[in-house]
Amino acid sequence: MNDDVIIVGGGPVGLMLAAELTLAGVRPVVLEQSPEPGTEHKANALIGQVVRFLDHRGLYQTLGGPGDRPQPTPAFLFGALPLKLSDLADNPLYGLRIRQADLERHLERRALDLGVDLRRGHRLRELRQADDHVSVQVEGPDGDYEMRASHLVGCDGARGGVRKQVGVPFAGFTDPSVISRAAHVAVPPSSISTSTAELVLPSGDRIGLYAWHRTERGAYAVVPYAPGVVMVSVIEWDGPPIADGTPVSIDELRASLSRVLGQDLPIAAPTTPGPHLLRRRYAANARVATAYRSDRVFLAGDAAHVHPAVGAPGLNLGLQDAANLGWKLAAQVHGWAPPGLLDSYHAERHPAAERVTTHSQAQLALMSPGPAITALRQVVAELLETPDATAQITDMLAGADVRYRMHHGTPHALTGRFAPDLDLRVGSRATRLADLMHSGRPLLVDLTGSGHLADLTDAWRDRVDLVTAEAPTPPPADALLVRPDGYVAWALGPDGTDELLDALTTWFGAPGPRDAHG
């Protein structure tokens, strides 16, 4: 066996997965067909639970996060309707402003620092599965070669070849009548009012920056990008037909914006150095792979799911795929994975993708034209004025409504949820639960003060870290068992410790050491 795991695709998801595997003592090889890091403009921010996961790996401040820890965003949008979040008692919607190209650059540097074997300019040609390995034919800069590994993960995007080669259907639909266009364009500097965050149109009308706006002809957003340059996004329903192969242009974007806005906005191609965004795509494109696993081959990120981009959920979904899968694959390679652990990847992440697909389609529908949609928006806007409705929608956008089934019995309220951000004291040192997760290992946090959990769980010490700590403020549980992906596998409640052993066995195998690569 040449390597432990082959990852096809070196975007953010593939790089995150490679880092997770390496932290767990597994040797991944990343095959990325692009010879250079991507510069294409995609996402501009991270939204949701993934921001807290990045904090668990010590990456929040590295990626430009303000402050010493993630803070919830005070406002957001749902289907171009405002969500006021500052009054929520428990706001789970965290954000981190970073361009995807910059995120990928940071994740690549981290992966290389960890010793990941990243092979740029190497393209997967063919894969074959056997009972005990996966073999691949690779086209590299110096010629073709063959590799073997215990497992392979396709992180090669919606059009990638891994899913197609293993024959997993991509269930869903694409509506070619709904077109999204986006570009960086130059506007007259005098048209931007920085004091009011508005763009002044030639007619004297003003439109708000940074947010989606819906009209009876479509939806648009204008976001400042650089001095004199803004990013304009337009979604149009049933616009003029476009001949196959027609390249997108600034003129096409200008005409689409004019139809949706109802008046002309003078825009031009930027004169500043690029690369600049200029893109056309189907906005109503929602598909989820019917299986995230095919024997020894797995799918993650866009290779497993695509959805409308409204609400920016893509990286939250894809990077958490990597977090969920990495430690489970490592457990299998090291020989201590309990039965069903690898199957739990599909069982946990497939419903999460379906949830994102549902709410992103719902948002796109709320942004579509027509008097019936206008009436629906009025009703939804009234509902969003109530704290309960706002909280439910916000949980959904953040992915905080996802609760994994952890083990049998009566679970604590925290079980299956992402671990709370606890301030702790270990000995004389002040720390946080997030700081204790940097190593990527399972963690049992004992806040009981009795020390009895140490003897009870000693047989798992080769794969589960135990930290005895104190909480300056009353914690929501007296002990937590946290999986490497940040989700609580067990929390101490009235049942005592009976279910702890069940949780340890369910997720981290039978007690006792296992040989590496067994």
Side-chain angles (χ1 to χ4, degrees), residues 197-201 205-209 213 220 222 257 261 265:
E198 292 177 318
L199 183 70
V200 183
L201 301 174
D205 293 338
R206 293 171 176 259
I207 59 176
L209 301 173
H213 302 276
Y220 66 91
V222 180
L257 179 62
L261 191 58
L265 173 64

Side-chain angles (χ1 to χ4, degrees), residues 121-123 125 138-146:
H122 293 246
R123 183 177 68 87
R125 294 185 57 191
V138 182
E139 178 184 332
D142 299 321
D144 294 355
Y145 61 95
E146 183 173 343

Side-chain angles (χ1 to χ4, degrees), residues 336-414:
W336 57 257
L341 183 66
L342 289 183
D343 288 332
S344 73
Y345 171 60
H346 173 92
E348 293 180 343
R349 298 309 297 163
H350 188 270
E354 290 188 317
R355 191 66 168 157
V356 167
T357 300
T358 295
H359 78 65
S360 59
Q361 288 183 87
Q363 292 187 75
L364 190 63
L366 281 170
M367 295 164 67
S368 62
I373 300 300
T374 301
L376 177 62
R377 288 175 62 83
Q378 180 177 338
V379 172
V380 174
E382 292 175 2
L383 289 174
L384 293 179
E385 292 177 359
T386 65
D388 287 348
T390 297
Q392 183 173 341
I393 291 293
T394 305
D395 281 350
M396 182 171 60
L397 293 175
D401 63 340
V402 172
R403 186 177 190 184
Y404 297 148
R405 179 181 173 86
M406 288 297 176
H407 56 92
H408 300 295
T410 303
H412 188 282
L414 291 178

